[in-house]
């Protein structure tokens, strides 16, 4: 009997590996060739007399009504030039990132065949951490000043934000921006709707970034992700017992969804917890739904939160008392 079970287990493993290799092979064969334009270099290395040419080449970066003198002053500003120098130290060779982006867009085209290959433009912007990456149908704009490394001297931000100012977060940020085009908007502001919406974003990272760890997908440290795994049942019970899932209390987003140094249960565990634990729970809920239902990916992305939750059969691991 043991021999039969062993043979069955080996057979299942071989079939699984074969299936995986077929997906990987299909992804590898998708033709993608990204074009990268280093606007950050062009801007700071353009002579003032040639500024008009740069402006004509990239009109969308120079809004009407802003005098040319503003841009010419920026080109020569010592602080901006120092930031440019730091970006060049880190990204003088952009080929490794381009290679990773190329792989990502193969994955994107595998799951979303209609996806166009955008032009990639690197910039140095205003350190707007809410818009590190902007992805549209034809353009992918990456603000390199926000990927210099979490300990960079220029970052005057709290640690929970700085920990994601690293090169490894460029691809997850691209997926986050892409996801906004594919996931149906929230129909209400209940905690459940927010959990499922951001959980869908993270599920897309499961598919599109298969080599990434769960911690890197959500932007946690390994310890923060482990904390969520260890306390999943406790957190879920807390949400249920306090009747939070269908609550539209505007404070819940800041307590459990939005970036923060820690989540706010208003208990002793707060200082141990990472921010956004509601997002992490929503991710597990979406994973459970896709595991227990035969539904096309794009249909799931359009599904409302209540239906997804009810059909997910989500049941977190029980924590030790």
């Amino acid at each position: 009997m043991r021999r039969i079970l062993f043979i069955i287990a080996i057979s299942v493993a071989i079939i699984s590996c074969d299936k995986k290799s077929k997906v990987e092979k299909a992804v590898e064969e998708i033709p993608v060739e990204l074009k990268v334009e280093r606007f950050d270099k062009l801007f700071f290395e353009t002579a003032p007399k040639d500024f008009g040419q740069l402006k004509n080449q990239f009109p969308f970066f120079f809004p009407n009504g802003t005098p040319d003198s503003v841009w010419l002053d920026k080109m020569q500003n010592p602080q901006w030039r120092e930031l440019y120098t730091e970006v060049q130290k880190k990204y003088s060779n952009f080929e490794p990132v381009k290679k990773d982006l190329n792989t990502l867009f193969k994955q994107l085209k595998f799951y979303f065949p209609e996806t166009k290959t955008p032009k990639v433009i690197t910039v140095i912007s205003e350190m707007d951490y809410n818009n590190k990456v902007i992805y549209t149908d034809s353009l992918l704009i990456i603000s390199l000043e926000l990927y210099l490394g979490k300990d960079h001297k220029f970052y005057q931000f709290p640690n929970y934000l700085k920990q994601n100012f690293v090169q490894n977060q460029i691809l997850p940020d691209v997926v986050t921006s892409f996801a906004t085009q594919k996931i149906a908007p929230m129909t209400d502001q209940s905690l459940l709707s927010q959990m499922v919406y951001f959980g869908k974003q993270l599920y897309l990272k499961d598919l599109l970034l298969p080599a990434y760890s769960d911690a890197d997908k959500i932007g946690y440290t390994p310890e923060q992700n482990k904390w969520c795994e260890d306390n999943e049942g406790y957190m879920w019970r807390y949400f249920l017992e306090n009747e939070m899932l269908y609550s539209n209390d505007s404070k819940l987003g800041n307590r459990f969804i939005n970036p923060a140094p820690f989540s706010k249960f208003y208990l002793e565990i707060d200082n141990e917890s990472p921010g956004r634990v509601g997002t992490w729970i929503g991710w597990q809920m979406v994973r459970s739904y896709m595991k227990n239902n035969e539904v096309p990916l794009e249909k799931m992305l359009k599904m409302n939160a209540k239906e997804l939750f009810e059909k997910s059969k989500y049941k977190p691991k029980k924590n030790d008392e």
Side-chain angles (χ1 to χ4, degrees), residues 78-120:
Q79 291 181 318
W80 280 105
R81 294 204 65 83
E82 185 181 1
L83 179 56
Y84 168 63
T85 298
E86 292 298 304
V87 169
Q88 293 315 302
K89 285 180 185 177
K90 178 72 175 177
Y91 295 106
S92 59
N93 178 14
F94 197 70
E95 283 304 309
V97 180
K98 181 182 176 183
K99 183 179 178 182
D100 290 342
L101 287 168
N102 228 59
T103 300
L104 170 59
F105 274 90
K106 287 176 181 282
Q107 296 279 359
L108 277 168
K109 286 176 178 287
F110 178 80
Y111 289 102
F112 303 94
E114 77 285 359
T115 301
K116 298 177 183 177
T117 303
K119 180 189 295 183
V120 180

Side-chain angles (χ1 to χ4, degrees), residues 50 78 159:
D50 298 323
N159 289 334

